[in-house]
Amino acid sequence: MTVDFSLNFPAGFLWGAATAAHQVEGHNTNNNWSAWEQTPGHIYQDQTAGIACDWWQGHYVEDFDRAAALHHNAHRFSVEWSRIEPERGKFSNKAIQFYAGMIEALRARGMEPLVTLHHFTDPLWIDQIGGWTNPETVRRYERFVRLIVEELGSTVKMWCTINEPMVYATQGYLLGHFPPGKKNLGLTYRVAENMLRGHAAAYHAIKNIHPEAQVGFAKHQISLKLRRPAWLHLPARNMVRHTFNRAFVEALLTGELKFQRKIEIPEARDTLDWIGLNYYYRFLVGFNVLKPRQLFIEQRRPYDGILGPESVGEIWPEGLFEQIRWLGERTDKPLYITENGVADADDTLRPLHMVRSIRSVWQAINYNYPVKGYFFWTLVDNFEWAEGYDPAFRFGLHSVDPVTQVRTPKTSAALYGEICAANALTADMVRRYVPELADELFPSVPVQKEIEWPAKRG
Ligand code: IFM
Protein backbone atom coordinates (compact mmCIF):
# COMPACT_ATOMS: atom_id res chain seq x y z
CA MET A 1 0.00 0.00 0.00
CA THR A 2 1.34 3.45 -0.90
CA VAL A 3 0.46 6.11 1.57
CA ASP A 4 0.55 9.70 0.41
CA PHE A 5 -0.75 13.04 1.50
CA SER A 6 -3.66 14.87 -0.12
CA LEU A 7 -5.82 17.88 0.59
CA ASN A 8 -9.33 16.63 -0.09
CA PHE A 9 -12.33 18.81 -0.90
CA PRO A 10 -15.93 18.10 0.09
CA ALA A 11 -18.18 16.08 -2.22
CA GLY A 12 -20.11 18.34 -4.58
CA PHE A 13 -17.47 21.08 -4.51
CA LEU A 14 -17.70 23.23 -7.67
CA TRP A 15 -14.55 23.54 -9.77
CA GLY A 16 -14.47 25.74 -12.82
CA ALA A 17 -13.23 28.88 -14.49
CA ALA A 18 -14.73 32.36 -14.73
CA THR A 19 -15.06 34.52 -17.84
CA ALA A 20 -16.74 37.84 -18.73
CA ALA A 21 -18.59 38.71 -21.93
CA HIS A 22 -16.62 41.71 -23.15
CA GLN A 23 -13.30 40.00 -22.48
CA VAL A 24 -14.02 36.92 -24.61
CA GLU A 25 -16.93 37.51 -26.98
CA GLY A 26 -15.55 40.15 -29.35
CA HIS A 27 -17.54 41.86 -32.12
CA ASN A 28 -19.29 44.43 -29.94
CA THR A 29 -19.43 48.14 -30.65
CA ASN A 30 -22.44 48.94 -28.52
CA ASN A 31 -21.13 49.30 -24.95
CA ASN A 32 -19.21 51.91 -22.97
CA TRP A 33 -15.95 49.95 -23.20
CA SER A 34 -15.99 49.64 -26.98
CA ALA A 35 -16.46 53.43 -27.13
CA TRP A 36 -13.70 54.05 -24.56
CA GLU A 37 -11.29 51.82 -26.49
CA GLN A 38 -11.48 54.19 -29.48
CA THR A 39 -9.54 56.95 -27.70
CA PRO A 40 -5.76 56.69 -27.90
CA GLY A 41 -4.12 56.39 -24.50
CA HIS A 42 -6.94 54.49 -22.84
CA ILE A 43 -5.78 50.95 -23.54
CA TYR A 44 -2.33 49.36 -23.71
CA GLN A 45 -0.86 50.12 -27.15
CA ASP A 46 -4.22 51.65 -28.13
CA GLN A 47 -5.69 48.20 -28.65
CA THR A 48 -9.39 47.36 -28.76
CA ALA A 49 -11.13 44.18 -27.63
CA GLY A 50 -11.70 43.42 -31.33
CA ILE A 51 -12.73 39.84 -31.89
CA ALA A 52 -11.30 38.81 -28.48
CA CYS A 53 -11.67 35.01 -28.18
CA ASP A 54 -14.44 35.05 -30.75
CA TRP A 55 -17.05 33.50 -28.47
CA TRP A 56 -19.77 35.53 -30.20
CA GLN A 57 -19.03 33.53 -33.39
CA GLY A 58 -19.27 30.25 -31.51
CA HIS A 59 -15.74 29.63 -30.23
CA TYR A 60 -17.18 29.17 -26.75
CA VAL A 61 -18.21 25.66 -27.79
CA GLU A 62 -14.64 24.45 -28.19
CA ASP A 63 -13.60 26.30 -25.03
CA PHE A 64 -16.35 24.56 -23.05
CA ASP A 65 -15.04 21.28 -24.50
CA ARG A 66 -11.64 22.21 -23.09
CA ALA A 67 -13.11 23.04 -19.69
CA ALA A 68 -15.00 19.73 -19.66
CA ALA A 69 -11.85 17.84 -20.64
CA LEU A 70 -10.19 19.45 -17.61
CA HIS A 71 -13.00 18.03 -15.46
CA HIS A 72 -14.61 21.38 -14.61
CA ASN A 73 -18.09 20.82 -13.21
CA ALA A 74 -19.11 24.49 -13.26
CA HIS A 75 -18.47 27.68 -15.22
CA ARG A 76 -19.05 31.34 -14.44
CA PHE A 77 -19.79 33.63 -17.40
CA SER A 78 -21.55 36.95 -17.94
CA VAL A 79 -24.37 38.04 -20.21
CA GLU A 80 -23.86 41.29 -22.09
CA TRP A 81 -26.60 43.84 -21.42
CA SER A 82 -25.75 45.86 -24.55
CA ARG A 83 -26.48 42.82 -26.74
CA ILE A 84 -29.68 41.83 -24.96
CA GLU A 85 -31.07 45.36 -24.85
CA PRO A 86 -29.20 47.16 -27.62
CA GLU A 87 -31.61 50.10 -27.45
CA ARG A 88 -33.67 51.26 -24.52
CA GLY A 89 -36.68 48.93 -24.21
CA LYS A 90 -35.78 46.86 -27.33
CA PHE A 91 -34.71 43.33 -26.58
CA SER A 92 -32.78 41.08 -28.95
CA ASN A 93 -34.07 37.56 -29.27
CA LYS A 94 -30.88 36.57 -31.07
CA ALA A 95 -28.78 37.57 -28.05
CA ILE A 96 -31.11 35.82 -25.60
CA GLN A 97 -30.91 32.65 -27.70
CA PHE A 98 -27.13 32.96 -27.79
CA TYR A 99 -26.95 32.83 -23.99
CA ALA A 100 -29.59 30.09 -23.83
CA GLY A 101 -27.26 28.13 -26.14
CA MET A 102 -24.33 28.71 -23.84
CA ILE A 103 -26.24 27.42 -20.83
CA GLU A 104 -27.35 24.38 -22.79
CA ALA A 105 -23.77 23.72 -23.91
CA LEU A 106 -22.57 23.89 -20.30
CA ARG A 107 -25.27 21.59 -19.02
CA ALA A 108 -24.60 19.12 -21.84
CA ARG A 109 -21.01 18.94 -20.60
CA GLY A 110 -21.97 18.50 -16.96
CA MET A 111 -21.07 22.04 -15.93
CA GLU A 112 -23.24 24.12 -13.62
CA PRO A 113 -23.67 27.67 -14.99
CA LEU A 114 -23.14 30.64 -12.67
CA VAL A 115 -24.46 33.64 -14.59
CA THR A 116 -23.21 37.18 -13.96
CA LEU A 117 -25.63 39.91 -14.97
CA HIS A 118 -23.26 42.87 -14.97
CA HIS A 119 -19.50 42.64 -15.49
CA PHE A 120 -18.08 46.18 -15.98
CA THR A 121 -19.91 47.03 -19.26
CA ASP A 122 -23.01 49.15 -19.87
CA PRO A 123 -24.97 49.64 -23.08
CA LEU A 124 -24.14 52.92 -24.83
CA TRP A 125 -27.66 54.19 -24.20
CA ILE A 126 -27.12 53.69 -20.45
CA ASP A 127 -23.79 55.51 -20.73
CA GLN A 128 -25.59 58.37 -22.44
CA ILE A 129 -27.92 58.88 -19.47
CA GLY A 130 -24.93 59.07 -17.08
CA GLY A 131 -24.40 55.37 -16.38
CA TRP A 132 -24.63 54.41 -12.71
CA THR A 133 -24.44 58.03 -11.56
CA ASN A 134 -28.09 58.22 -12.63
CA PRO A 135 -30.64 56.46 -10.34
CA GLU A 136 -32.70 55.76 -13.48
CA THR A 137 -30.03 53.14 -14.38
CA VAL A 138 -31.10 51.12 -11.33
CA ARG A 139 -34.63 50.84 -12.74
CA ARG A 140 -33.37 50.08 -16.27
CA TYR A 141 -31.03 47.39 -14.90
CA GLU A 142 -33.86 45.84 -12.89
CA ARG A 143 -35.98 45.68 -16.04
CA PHE A 144 -33.16 43.98 -17.95
CA VAL A 145 -32.64 41.48 -15.11
CA ARG A 146 -36.35 40.69 -15.00
CA LEU A 147 -36.37 39.99 -18.72
CA ILE A 148 -33.32 37.74 -18.70
CA VAL A 149 -34.50 35.80 -15.66
CA GLU A 150 -37.92 35.29 -17.23
CA GLU A 151 -36.21 33.97 -20.37
CA LEU A 152 -33.37 31.90 -18.87
CA GLY A 153 -34.32 31.43 -15.23
CA SER A 154 -35.66 27.90 -15.57
CA THR A 155 -32.17 26.71 -16.58
CA VAL A 156 -30.04 28.72 -14.14
CA LYS A 157 -29.81 28.18 -10.39
CA MET A 158 -27.04 30.60 -9.51
CA TRP A 159 -27.02 34.29 -10.37
CA CYS A 160 -24.33 36.86 -9.69
CA THR A 161 -25.91 40.33 -9.84
CA ILE A 162 -22.86 42.55 -10.19
CA ASN A 163 -19.17 41.86 -10.57
CA GLU A 164 -16.81 43.94 -8.38
CA PRO A 165 -18.93 47.07 -7.89
CA MET A 166 -16.19 48.79 -5.89
CA VAL A 167 -13.69 48.18 -8.70
CA TYR A 168 -16.16 49.57 -11.24
CA ALA A 169 -16.75 52.66 -9.08
CA THR A 170 -13.13 53.37 -8.11
CA GLN A 171 -11.49 52.59 -11.46
CA GLY A 172 -14.05 54.57 -13.44
CA TYR A 173 -14.76 57.48 -11.10
CA LEU A 174 -11.81 57.87 -8.73
CA LEU A 175 -8.69 56.64 -10.52
CA GLY A 176 -9.89 57.28 -14.07
CA HIS A 177 -8.51 54.04 -15.57
CA PHE A 178 -11.90 52.72 -16.70
CA PRO A 179 -14.66 54.59 -18.55
CA PRO A 180 -15.76 57.28 -18.06
CA GLY A 181 -12.28 58.20 -16.75
CA LYS A 182 -13.44 60.52 -13.96
CA LYS A 183 -11.55 61.46 -10.79
CA ASN A 184 -14.30 62.51 -8.45
CA LEU A 185 -14.82 61.07 -4.98
CA GLY A 186 -18.46 62.18 -4.71
CA LEU A 187 -19.34 60.42 -7.96
CA THR A 188 -17.47 57.31 -6.82
CA TYR A 189 -19.69 57.04 -3.77
CA ARG A 190 -22.81 57.76 -5.81
CA VAL A 191 -22.00 55.02 -8.34
CA ALA A 192 -21.31 52.50 -5.57
CA GLU A 193 -24.59 53.44 -3.89
CA ASN A 194 -26.58 53.04 -7.11
CA MET A 195 -24.92 49.70 -7.80
CA LEU A 196 -25.96 48.62 -4.33
CA ARG A 197 -29.51 49.63 -5.13
CA GLY A 198 -29.13 47.78 -8.45
CA HIS A 199 -28.05 44.62 -6.65
CA ALA A 200 -31.00 44.87 -4.25
CA ALA A 201 -33.46 45.44 -7.09
CA ALA A 202 -32.02 42.49 -9.04
CA TYR A 203 -32.11 40.26 -5.96
CA HIS A 204 -35.81 40.90 -5.36
CA ALA A 205 -36.66 40.64 -9.07
CA ILE A 206 -34.97 37.24 -9.39
CA LYS A 207 -36.46 35.86 -6.17
CA ASN A 208 -39.85 37.10 -7.26
CA ILE A 209 -39.70 35.08 -10.46
CA HIS A 210 -37.75 32.07 -9.12
CA PRO A 211 -37.83 31.97 -5.30
CA GLU A 212 -35.51 28.95 -5.31
CA ALA A 213 -32.74 30.77 -7.26
CA GLN A 214 -29.52 31.46 -5.39
CA VAL A 215 -28.43 35.07 -5.75
CA GLY A 216 -25.16 36.69 -4.74
CA PHE A 217 -22.52 39.03 -6.11
CA ALA A 218 -18.77 38.98 -6.67
CA LYS A 219 -16.74 41.12 -4.27
CA HIS A 220 -13.15 41.99 -5.11
CA GLN A 221 -11.18 42.09 -1.85
CA ILE A 222 -7.66 43.37 -1.45
CA SER A 223 -5.29 42.36 1.32
CA LEU A 224 -3.89 45.38 3.09
CA LYS A 225 -0.52 45.44 4.74
CA LEU A 226 -0.13 48.15 7.34
CA ARG A 227 2.87 50.47 7.01
CA ARG A 228 4.95 51.03 10.13
CA PRO A 229 4.63 52.71 12.54
CA ALA A 230 1.14 51.34 13.02
CA TRP A 231 -0.07 54.23 15.19
CA LEU A 232 0.47 56.64 12.27
CA HIS A 233 -0.88 54.52 9.43
CA LEU A 234 -3.71 52.60 11.08
CA PRO A 235 -6.48 55.16 10.33
CA ALA A 236 -5.54 55.20 6.62
CA ARG A 237 -5.54 51.39 6.47
CA ASN A 238 -8.87 51.22 8.27
CA MET A 239 -10.38 53.77 5.90
CA VAL A 240 -9.41 51.74 2.80
CA ARG A 241 -10.47 48.51 4.46
CA HIS A 242 -13.85 49.90 5.39
CA THR A 243 -14.56 51.76 2.13
CA PHE A 244 -13.26 49.26 -0.40
CA ASN A 245 -13.53 45.88 1.31
CA ARG A 246 -16.35 46.12 3.78
CA ALA A 247 -18.98 48.88 3.43
CA PHE A 248 -20.79 47.35 0.44
CA VAL A 249 -20.96 43.91 2.05
CA GLU A 250 -22.13 45.35 5.37
CA ALA A 251 -24.92 47.24 3.59
CA LEU A 252 -26.26 44.02 2.07
CA LEU A 253 -26.63 42.60 5.55
CA THR A 254 -27.87 45.64 7.43
CA GLY A 255 -29.51 47.92 4.85
CA GLU A 256 -27.22 50.78 5.88
CA LEU A 257 -24.49 52.03 3.59
CA LYS A 258 -21.78 53.93 5.45
CA PHE A 259 -19.38 55.89 3.29
CA GLN A 260 -19.02 59.56 4.25
CA ARG A 261 -22.41 59.44 5.92
CA LYS A 262 -24.96 56.77 6.69
CA ILE A 263 -27.58 56.10 3.99
CA GLU A 264 -30.56 53.89 4.77
CA ILE A 265 -31.29 51.44 1.93
CA PRO A 266 -33.75 49.06 3.58
CA GLU A 267 -34.40 47.11 0.38
CA ALA A 268 -30.73 46.03 0.36
CA ARG A 269 -31.01 44.37 3.76
CA ASP A 270 -30.58 40.59 3.70
CA THR A 271 -30.12 40.30 -0.05
CA LEU A 272 -27.41 37.67 -0.19
CA ASP A 273 -27.91 33.94 -0.60
CA TRP A 274 -24.19 33.50 -1.13
CA ILE A 275 -21.14 35.70 -1.37
CA GLY A 276 -18.49 35.59 -4.11
CA LEU A 277 -14.86 36.43 -3.43
CA ASN A 278 -12.52 37.68 -6.16
CA TYR A 279 -8.99 37.82 -4.80
CA TYR A 280 -5.68 38.80 -6.41
CA TYR A 281 -3.36 41.25 -4.59
CA ARG A 282 -1.99 42.75 -1.39
CA PHE A 283 -1.07 46.42 -1.04
CA LEU A 284 0.92 48.39 1.51
CA VAL A 285 -1.26 51.16 2.89
CA GLY A 286 -0.49 54.23 4.94
CA PHE A 287 -0.91 57.92 5.56
CA ASN A 288 0.99 60.37 3.34
CA VAL A 289 0.75 64.06 4.01
CA LEU A 290 1.79 64.81 0.44
CA LYS A 291 -1.29 63.12 -1.07
CA PRO A 292 -4.22 65.42 -0.21
CA ARG A 293 -6.04 64.51 -3.43
CA GLN A 294 -6.06 60.88 -2.35
CA LEU A 295 -7.40 61.82 1.10
CA PHE A 296 -3.79 61.49 2.39
CA ILE A 297 -3.86 57.76 1.73
CA GLU A 298 -1.08 56.07 -0.14
CA GLN A 299 -1.41 52.56 -1.47
CA ARG A 300 1.64 50.96 -3.03
CA ARG A 301 3.34 47.68 -3.75
CA PRO A 302 5.23 46.24 -0.79
CA TYR A 303 8.93 45.71 -1.35
CA ASP A 304 8.98 42.06 -0.37
CA GLY A 305 7.00 39.15 -1.78
CA ILE A 306 6.37 38.41 -5.44
CA LEU A 307 5.36 41.49 -7.34
CA GLY A 308 2.74 41.44 -10.02
CA PRO A 309 3.07 43.48 -13.20
CA GLU A 310 3.51 47.26 -12.85
CA SER A 311 0.39 49.00 -11.51
CA VAL A 312 -0.82 46.14 -9.36
CA GLY A 313 0.09 44.85 -5.93
CA GLU A 314 2.01 42.05 -4.38
CA ILE A 315 1.00 38.51 -5.19
CA TRP A 316 0.21 36.83 -1.91
CA PRO A 317 -1.94 33.72 -2.40
CA GLU A 318 -2.38 33.08 1.33
CA GLY A 319 -4.40 36.31 1.53
CA LEU A 320 -7.30 34.20 0.29
CA PHE A 321 -7.63 32.67 3.74
CA GLU A 322 -7.75 36.09 5.40
CA GLN A 323 -10.48 37.28 3.02
CA ILE A 324 -12.53 34.10 3.35
CA ARG A 325 -12.29 34.50 7.10
CA TRP A 326 -13.74 38.02 7.19
CA LEU A 327 -16.45 37.38 4.58
CA GLY A 328 -17.35 34.03 6.13
CA GLU A 329 -17.60 35.35 9.65
CA ARG A 330 -19.38 38.57 8.75
CA THR A 331 -21.92 37.17 6.30
CA ASP A 332 -22.40 33.60 7.54
CA LYS A 333 -23.34 32.67 3.95
CA PRO A 334 -22.10 30.01 1.54
CA LEU A 335 -19.00 31.38 -0.12
CA TYR A 336 -17.64 30.85 -3.62
CA ILE A 337 -14.26 31.94 -4.88
CA THR A 338 -15.73 33.59 -7.96
CA GLU A 339 -12.27 34.62 -9.27
CA ASN A 340 -8.68 33.88 -8.37
CA GLY A 341 -5.64 33.69 -10.59
CA VAL A 342 -2.46 35.46 -11.53
CA ALA A 343 -1.17 37.62 -14.37
CA ASP A 344 1.78 35.67 -15.69
CA ALA A 345 3.23 36.07 -19.18
CA ASP A 346 4.80 32.61 -19.50
CA ASP A 347 3.00 30.40 -16.95
CA THR A 348 6.06 30.09 -14.72
CA LEU A 349 4.36 31.46 -11.62
CA ARG A 350 0.82 30.17 -12.19
CA PRO A 351 1.22 26.52 -11.04
CA LEU A 352 2.90 27.68 -7.84
CA HIS A 353 0.28 30.33 -7.29
CA MET A 354 -2.49 27.82 -7.95
CA VAL A 355 -1.17 25.33 -5.43
CA ARG A 356 -0.72 27.96 -2.71
CA SER A 357 -4.16 29.46 -3.39
CA ILE A 358 -6.01 26.16 -3.43
CA ARG A 359 -4.21 25.12 -0.29
CA SER A 360 -5.51 28.30 1.37
CA VAL A 361 -9.05 27.44 0.32
CA TRP A 362 -8.63 23.92 1.68
CA GLN A 363 -7.37 25.33 4.96
CA ALA A 364 -10.42 27.62 5.21
CA ILE A 365 -12.77 24.68 4.55
CA ASN A 366 -11.11 22.76 7.32
CA TYR A 367 -11.74 25.64 9.67
CA ASN A 368 -15.37 25.08 8.63
CA TYR A 369 -15.81 28.21 6.54
CA PRO A 370 -18.56 27.24 4.07
CA VAL A 371 -16.56 27.53 0.82
CA LYS A 372 -18.57 25.72 -1.84
CA GLY A 373 -16.65 26.29 -5.07
CA TYR A 374 -13.63 27.75 -6.81
CA PHE A 375 -13.68 29.50 -10.21
CA PHE A 376 -10.24 30.04 -11.65
CA TRP A 377 -9.65 33.32 -13.50
CA THR A 378 -9.60 32.46 -16.38
CA LEU A 379 -10.15 29.79 -19.01
CA VAL A 380 -8.44 31.46 -22.00
CA ASP A 381 -6.17 34.51 -22.32
CA ASN A 382 -8.41 37.47 -23.10
CA PHE A 383 -8.92 41.23 -23.23
CA GLU A 384 -7.74 42.56 -19.86
CA TRP A 385 -9.53 45.95 -19.83
CA ALA A 386 -7.08 48.90 -19.72
CA GLU A 387 -4.21 46.43 -20.07
CA GLY A 388 -5.67 45.15 -23.35
CA TYR A 389 -3.68 42.17 -24.63
CA ASP A 390 -0.48 43.11 -22.77
CA PRO A 391 1.46 39.81 -22.42
CA ALA A 392 2.24 40.69 -18.79
CA PHE A 393 -1.50 40.53 -18.05
CA ARG A 394 -2.29 37.05 -19.33
CA PHE A 395 -4.47 35.18 -16.88
CA GLY A 396 -5.63 32.16 -18.90
CA LEU A 397 -5.20 28.42 -18.59
CA HIS A 398 -4.87 28.44 -22.39
CA SER A 399 -3.11 30.90 -24.65
CA VAL A 400 -4.97 32.17 -27.70
CA ASP A 401 -3.40 33.11 -31.01
CA PRO A 402 -5.18 36.38 -31.88
CA VAL A 403 -4.98 35.75 -35.63
CA THR A 404 -5.69 32.04 -35.98
CA GLN A 405 -7.70 31.73 -32.76
CA VAL A 406 -5.77 28.53 -32.01
CA ARG A 407 -5.67 27.71 -28.30
CA THR A 408 -2.74 26.07 -26.54
CA PRO A 409 -3.06 24.62 -23.05
CA LYS A 410 -0.52 25.79 -20.50
CA THR A 411 1.07 23.60 -17.84
CA SER A 412 -1.27 25.16 -15.30
CA ALA A 413 -4.26 23.85 -17.28
CA ALA A 414 -3.04 20.28 -16.82
CA LEU A 415 -2.44 20.83 -13.11
CA TYR A 416 -5.86 22.41 -12.60
CA GLY A 417 -7.47 19.58 -14.56
CA GLU A 418 -5.88 17.03 -12.22
CA ILE A 419 -7.07 18.93 -9.15
CA CYS A 420 -10.64 19.12 -10.50
CA ALA A 421 -10.65 15.42 -11.44
CA ALA A 422 -9.37 14.31 -8.05
CA ASN A 423 -11.42 16.87 -6.07
CA ALA A 424 -8.14 17.17 -4.20
CA LEU A 425 -4.68 18.63 -4.31
CA THR A 426 -2.29 15.76 -3.80
CA ALA A 427 1.34 15.58 -2.78
CA ASP A 428 2.05 13.75 -6.00
CA MET A 429 0.71 16.67 -8.08
CA VAL A 430 2.80 19.13 -6.11
CA ARG A 431 5.94 17.01 -6.59
CA ARG A 432 5.36 16.85 -10.33
CA TYR A 433 4.28 20.44 -11.03
CA VAL A 434 5.91 22.54 -8.33
CA PRO A 435 8.66 20.41 -6.78
CA GLU A 436 10.09 23.49 -5.07
CA LEU A 437 7.00 23.55 -2.81
CA ALA A 438 6.82 19.81 -2.16
CA ASP A 439 9.01 19.58 0.92
CA GLU A 440 7.41 22.54 2.55
CA LEU A 441 3.82 21.46 1.90
CA PHE A 442 4.19 17.69 2.01
CA PRO A 443 7.33 16.32 3.69
CA SER A 444 8.11 12.97 2.02
CA VAL A 445 8.21 11.15 5.35
CA PRO A 446 5.07 12.04 7.25
CA VAL A 447 6.16 13.96 10.32
CA GLN A 448 4.46 13.28 13.62
CA LYS A 449 5.29 16.20 15.80
CA GLU A 450 6.24 15.37 19.39
CA ILE A 451 3.84 17.02 21.79
CA GLU A 452 5.09 17.57 25.31
CA TRP A 453 2.76 16.49 28.08
CA PRO A 454 1.83 19.45 30.23
CA ALA A 455 3.33 19.50 33.70
CA LYS A 456 1.25 17.39 36.05
CA ARG A 457 -1.51 19.49 37.52
CA GLY A 458 -2.15 19.91 41.22
O1 IFM B 1 -10.03 40.48 -15.78
C1 IFM B 1 -10.46 40.89 -14.53
C2 IFM B 1 -11.94 40.60 -14.35
O2 IFM B 1 -12.72 41.14 -15.36
C3 IFM B 1 -12.40 41.18 -13.03
N1 IFM B 1 -11.58 40.75 -11.94
C4 IFM B 1 -10.14 40.86 -12.10
C5 IFM B 1 -9.71 40.22 -13.41
C6 IFM B 1 -8.18 40.28 -13.57
O3 IFM B 1 -7.72 41.58 -13.52
Side-chain angles (χ1 to χ4, degrees):
M1 175 186 179
T2 321
V3 180
D4 211 356
F5 207 116
S6 63
L7 311 183
N8 300 316
F9 284 74
F13 193 78
L14 295 186
W15 292 104
T19 53
H22 190 71
Q23 296 180 269
V24 287
E25 286 180 1
H27 313 274
N28 191 352
T29 52
N30 197 31
N31 67 22
N32 58 335
W33 266 89
S34 49
W36 175 255
E37 291 158 22
Q38 303 309 314
T39 305
H42 283 169
I43 313 290
Y44 169 78
Q45 291 185 349
D46 296 338
Q47 295 169 341
T48 64
I51 69 166
C53 308
D54 210 23
W55 277 26
W56 185 244
Q57 306 261 45
H59 267 95
Y60 73 84
V61 176
E62 55 161 290
D63 287 335
F64 287 176
D65 282 342
R66 285 188 180 90
L70 295 177
H71 308 277
H72 296 192
N73 58 12
H75 184 79
R76 173 178 173 230
F77 72 95
S78 75
V79 293
E80 174 64 35
W81 186 1
S82 67
R83 290 196 196 278
I84 293 164
E85 192 177 2
E87 284 173 55
R88 183 185 170 132
K90 288 207 172 128
F91 294 95
S92 156
N93 194 41
K94 180 182 170 204
I96 295 167
Q97 289 320 312
F98 173 78
Y99 293 114
M102 261 172 118
I103 294 164
E104 214 180 298
L106 287 173
R107 291 225 174 273
R109 289 162 180 75
M111 288 188 272
E112 184 68 33
L114 194 175
V115 182
T116 305
L117 294 156
H118 185 280
H119 193 123
F120 290 171
T121 52
D122 299 306
L124 277 180
W125 62 270
I126 282 287
D127 204 38
Q128 281 148 13
I129 62 165
W132 289 87
T133 62
N134 185 347
E136 170 69 11
T137 294
V138 177
R139 286 185 288 280
R140 306 309 312 184
Y141 174 66
E142 180 186 6
R143 173 129 195 260
F144 151 72
V145 170
R146 204 173 277 284
L147 182 274
I148 202 78
V149 174
E150 273 160 2
E151 294 288 340
L152 305 178
S154 57
T155 56
V156 177
K157 288 188 218 142
M158 292 185 65
W159 297 98
C160 171
T161 56
I162 300 188
N163 180 71
E164 302 182 349
M166 291 310 298
V167 172
Y168 178 99
T170 49
Q171 291 286 352
Y173 292 85
L174 189 66
L175 305 173
H177 299 149
F178 283 13
K182 299 253 188 298
K183 296 185 178 174
N184 180 319
L185 185 64
L187 286 182
T188 308
Y189 287 139
R190 194 194 298 170
V191 165
E193 179 192 332
N194 283 333
M195 289 194 126
L196 185 80
R197 293 182 189 278
H199 163 87
Y203 181 89
H204 294 300
I206 299 168
K207 297 299 261 192
N208 208 271
I209 303 167
H210 285 288
E212 73 291 357
Q214 293 298 296
V215 186
F217 87 114
K219 180 73 188 68
H220 187 118
Q221 297 292 79
I222 43 177
S223 284
L224 300 166
K225 192 169 178 175
L226 181 62
R227 271 175 68 189
R228 301 278 154 201
W231 62 266
L232 176 63
H233 298 296
L234 196 67
R237 196 282 311 264
N238 289 353
M239 161 84 180
V240 177
R241 190 174 67 181
H242 171 74
T243 312
F244 190 88
N245 279 354
R246 298 189 171 179
F248 201 98
V249 179
E250 299 272 4
L252 297 182
L253 303 168
T254 62
E256 289 177 353
L257 179 62
K258 292 183 197 153
F259 283 145
Q260 280 162 317
R261 58 194 174 86
K262 186 163 92 182
I263 306 168
E264 303 281 348
I265 310 181
E267 70 275 21
R269 188 161 175 258
D270 237 339
T271 55
L272 280 181
D273 298 329
W274 55 268
I275 178 91
L277 166 61
N278 294 3
Y279 176 72
Y280 293 89
Y281 302 115
R282 171 160 74 171
F283 288 92
L284 191 64
V285 184
F287 168 78
N288 187 336
V289 74
L290 301 175
K291 305 259 166 120
R293 294 191 59 192
Q294 291 174 207
L295 303 176
F296 303 100
I297 292 172
E298 184 181 46
Q299 199 163 303
R300 61 170 192 240
R301 300 168 7 134
Y303 294 113
D304 49 356
I306 304 169
L307 295 181
E310 235 14 91
S311 86
V312 294
E314 175 199 10
I315 293 162
W316 184 51
E318 284 70 24
L320 254 179
F321 182 80
E322 174 190 297
Q323 299 307 331
I324 293 170
R325 200 168 71 184
W326 185 78
L327 284 174
E329 275 165 21
R330 185 64 190 95
T331 68
D332 203 14
K333 300 285 177 196
L335 198 149
Y336 293 86
I337 310 303
T338 34
E339 283 181 30
N340 177 236
V342 67
D344 181 14
D346 52 13
D347 206 46
T348 46
L349 186 57
R350 191 167 291 105
L352 196 121
H353 181 271
M354 186 181 281
V355 164
R356 285 176 53 177
S357 301
I358 289 176
R359 180 171 175 263
S360 277
V361 176
W362 173 84
Q363 193 183 8
I365 291 172
N366 284 282
Y367 273 94
N368 291 314
Y369 291 105
V371 188
K372 305 290 182 196
Y374 178 90
F375 294 84
F376 187 80
W377 186 268
T378 182
L379 186 57
V380 282
D381 284 344
N382 60 35
F383 179 74
E384 178 53 31
W385 308 110
E387 274 75 30
Y389 295 104
D390 181 347
F393 280 88
R394 289 187 183 146
F395 281 90
L397 294 171
H398 302 84
S399 63
V400 178
D401 184 312
V403 179
T404 61
Q405 285 291 321
V406 168
R407 276 74 163 145
T408 310
K410 303 178 189 175
T411 303
S412 48
L415 167 59
Y416 191 51
E418 289 195 33
I419 295 170
C420 299
N423 198 26
L425 171 67
T426 69
D428 172 59
M429 292 172 200
V430 177
R431 281 186 219 112
R432 281 184 290 115
Y433 288 94
V434 275
E436 64 273 40
L437 272 187
D439 276 349
E440 198 183 321
L441 297 192
F442 304 107
S444 42
V445 179
V447 183
Q448 253 324 1
K449 214 171 140 197
E450 280 289 334
I451 299 178
E452 295 284 322
W453 289 106
K456 204 168 172 194
R457 293 199 187 101

